[in-house]
Amino acid sequence: MPDTVYSPPSLKELCARTILRNSLPILKITHPHILEYLSSYHECSFCGGPYLDSFVRRWRCWERDGVELRLEYKLCIAHWTNDDERIKLMFCRMPDTAMKLPVLEVEKRLGMRRSISNLGLKMKTALKKSEHINNSSDDHLDMENTAFDNLETIPVWNAIKRSP
């Protein structure tokens, strides 16, 4: 079966894929229609990465005991163009389009523990470094008095609701 015509993802979808793939925090005041859009993602048949409106369809057909079997793949990108490439990719590292576990989830699975105070100290140190950079640059780049300082963020997975 021929592949369907592929249309590239929109900027909106690329942003949503990045948020979901990297488990980025989102603003607590994010509009409900954006949360609904984020929760409507599907998983790539190959890498498990997210896609929303735009995907690549691949078919694999074979015959067993006189019965034609068809398998449909819905991919976030064109991971492969033929069966040889598909088989080779099964033995490679996961592509960058695959979902990434949040850092705390990775540490939990590895049995590591992160001290919250240690995390806070690292964040304060990073902020001080960025303040130093900001103070040494132009005065109009004063990052301390932005409108975004008091906005709360939440993990994307806490914000979206997925139906089973």
Side-chain angles (χ1 to χ4, degrees):
M1 289 189 142
D3 294 335
T4 57
V5 176
Y6 173 70
S7 60
S10 65
L11 181 57
K12 177 181 175 182
E13 180 164 353
L14 290 173
C15 292
R17 287 182 183 196
T18 301
I19 289 168
L20 293 167
R21 183 181 307 121
N22 296 301
S23 299
L24 298 176
I26 58 174
L27 293 175
K28 202 171 190 177
I29 60 170
T30 301
H31 200 275
H33 83 275
I34 294 175
L35 295 176
E36 185 178 321
Y37 183 71
L38 286 169
S39 65
S40 70
Y41 79 94
H42 305 279
E43 291 183 10
C44 175
S45 301
F46 177 71
C47 71
Y51 69 86
L52 293 109
D53 303 322
S54 181
F55 61 93
V56 176
R57 180 175 286 149
R58 297 280 190 248
W59 293 93
R60 183 168 180 234
C61 300
W62 67 99
E63 191 174 315
R64 293 270 163 113
D65 299 327
V67 177
E68 184 178 330
L69 302 170
R70 295 181 194 165
L71 180 62
E72 177 186 30
Y73 295 95
K74 289 185 178 179
L75 308 172
C76 59
I77 62 168
H79 290 290
W80 68 83
T81 56
N82 59 42
D83 210 41
D84 289 339
E85 288 179 15
R86 182 186 64 82
I87 292 169
K88 286 178 189 175
L89 285 172
M90 290 182 355
F91 298 99
C92 295
R93 71 175 182 84
M94 289 302 284
D96 292 336
T97 55
M99 292 285 248
K100 293 161 186 60
L101 290 172
V103 174
L104 294 176
E105 181 65 24
V106 171
E107 291 176 350
K108 181 176 150 187
R109 288 187 182 192
L110 294 174
M112 301 165 66
R113 292 189 174 234
R114 174 183 283 187
S115 152
I116 297 298
S117 61
N118 187 23
L119 179 63
L121 180 63
K122 287 181 181 178
M123 290 175 70
K124 286 179 184 175
T125 305
L127 284 173
K128 286 189 184 288
K129 286 180 182 177
S130 69
E131 285 175 14
H132 174 71
I133 292 168
N134 289 335
N135 291 338
S136 64
S137 62
D138 296 333
D139 291 335
H140 68 278
L141 296 176
D142 183 12
M143 299 299 283
E144 288 184 30
N145 298 322
T146 65
F148 301 106
D149 287 343
N150 297 322
L151 294 178
E152 291 182 57
T153 61
I154 54 176
V156 67
W157 303 114
N158 292 353
I160 63 175
K161 293 171 181 57
R162 294 274 295 170
S163 55

